[in-house]
Amino acid sequence: MEARLNIMASPVAAKAMKHIVAAAKTLAESTLPAATRELVMLRASQINGCAGCIDMHTKDAAAAGESAVRLNLVAAWREAKVFTDAERAALELAEQGTRIADAAGGVPDEVWANAAKHYDEDQLAALVTQIAVINAFNRGNVITQQPAGDYEVGQFH
């Protein structure tokens, strides 16, 4: 499989992508737990069918010590007992934020309130931004059909 387009070969697209990459790197400095960030990125990528991001975030999370059980259960987190209440709230916000077009009213108030019970304002800001950033990456990869499977941990860091 070959990608439809090499985004980084386009001066305009490459310049824009560098800003999205910089935003993603900034989020690593937030107080939002790294495991939560990886779980959120993995779940949004699953929903969007972004093989490249699923490959990357599964491998990065595993390298950071995340268990195979938790990684395998992200897609069915509601029925899994391996996530904390805070992680569950973050996963729900990620799903609602990713599927924003599916809900006439956007993210429901109860989903936001549940996340706000577990995260302070800075962490919520990081969580919202992380959801937006991963969705941007997912969309670019899916539109251009970026191939997946050969990502190596730390390749883009």
Side-chain angles (χ1 to χ4, degrees):
M1 176 176 194
E2 269 191 51
R4 290 175 169 163
L5 176 71
N6 179 350
I7 292 175
M8 299 312 277
S10 162
V12 172
K15 187 174 181 180
M17 288 303 295
K18 286 179 184 177
H19 291 287
I20 297 172
V21 169
K25 288 181 179 179
T26 299
L27 293 168
E29 300 168 8
S30 76
T31 59
L32 185 66
T36 302
R37 286 188 295 105
E38 289 295 338
L39 294 173
V40 160
M41 290 187 287
L42 178 56
R43 185 63 190 127
S45 299
Q46 289 170 337
I47 292 166
N48 289 322
C50 182
C53 289
I54 293 168
D55 185 33
M56 177 180 180
H57 295 294
T58 301
K59 289 174 180 174
D60 283 349
E66 190 60 73
S67 75
V69 170
R70 283 170 43 97
L71 290 174
N72 290 331
L73 288 173
V74 167
W77 64 267
R78 284 178 180 78
E79 294 81 26
K81 299 187 287 184
V82 297
F83 302 106
T84 67
D85 288 343
E87 289 168 336
R88 296 169 73 75
L91 288 165
E92 176 69 11
L93 186 60
E95 283 191 4
Q96 293 294 324
T98 298
R99 292 183 165 136
I100 203 162
D102 296 342
V107 175
D109 289 340
E110 60 270 11
V111 171
W112 181 261
N114 189 34
K117 288 190 320 191
H118 300 283
Y119 300 102
D120 65 28
E121 192 167 295
D122 286 341
Q123 291 171 320
L124 284 169
L127 188 54
V128 168
T129 306
Q130 187 70 77
I131 294 164
V133 166
I134 193 60
N135 274 280
F137 280 122
N138 290 166
R139 280 151 175 76
N141 287 341
V142 171
I143 291 167
T144 60
Q145 295 183 342
Q146 294 298 312
D150 58 355
Y151 174 78
E152 294 181 21
V153 174
Q155 180 177 338
F156 300 123
H157 302 287

